[in-house]
Amino acid sequence: MQNSAQGSSATATRRPTEYRERGPRSWSPLQPGSTYDPGEDRYWLERELTLLERAVKDKGEMRRSELGDLIGCKYWGPERFSRALKAAVEQGRIKHTRIGRYGPADG
């Protein structure tokens, strides 16, 4: 009995009631600031698409994870690799050959 009474009082005082500020909600390779430059965003996307295209032309068909490791996508930021893969396939720069595999568009 005594433990349950102590547990309920500890949980009641555990969290502060004042407002806590939140950090940024998304990640970007761009420097933090109050302006957004669409030209720079296009530059980064084009760079990522070129890396994907070159990797599959040089190595041939490969799994998504192998492709990501080869080009270092873990340093790009959240969801950038997925968006770049989707854009590359939509633009015809690479092709989605099988489930989870990508290859050169012309071969």
Side-chain angles (χ1 to χ4, degrees):
M1 285 268 200
Q2 193 174 17
N3 288 339
S4 64
Q6 287 176 350
S8 62
S9 65
T11 56
T13 59
R14 197 156 123 202
R15 293 190 178 190
T17 56
E18 68 267 358
Y19 176 77
R20 183 173 58 110
E21 288 226 13
R22 300 179 99 180
R25 297 185 189 242
S26 65
W27 183 91
S28 172
L30 310 174
Q31 293 208 358
S34 61
T35 59
Y36 168 73
D37 183 9
E40 192 166 3
D41 197 35
R42 279 192 299 275
Y43 165 80
W44 283 106
L45 180 62
E46 183 60 34
R47 179 183 174 277
E48 293 160 357
L49 295 176
T50 303
L51 284 170
L52 288 168
E53 188 176 17
R54 277 193 198 154
V56 295
K57 279 186 180 177
D58 289 347
K59 302 287 183 179
E61 182 181 324
M62 64 181 80
R63 290 190 330 251
R64 175 189 165 109
S65 59
E66 292 172 336
L67 181 57
D69 289 342
L70 181 65
I71 61 178
C73 73
K74 68 180 179 180
Y75 302 107
W76 291 8
E79 297 299 315
R80 289 193 69 91
F81 180 63
S82 297
R83 283 184 241 153
L85 268 178
K86 184 177 178 183
V89 170
E90 287 173 354
Q91 292 179 16
R93 296 173 90 167
I94 65 174
K95 77 178 168 185
H96 191 213
T97 55
R98 291 183 274 165
I99 294 176
R101 295 188 68 88
Y102 294 87
D106 55 5

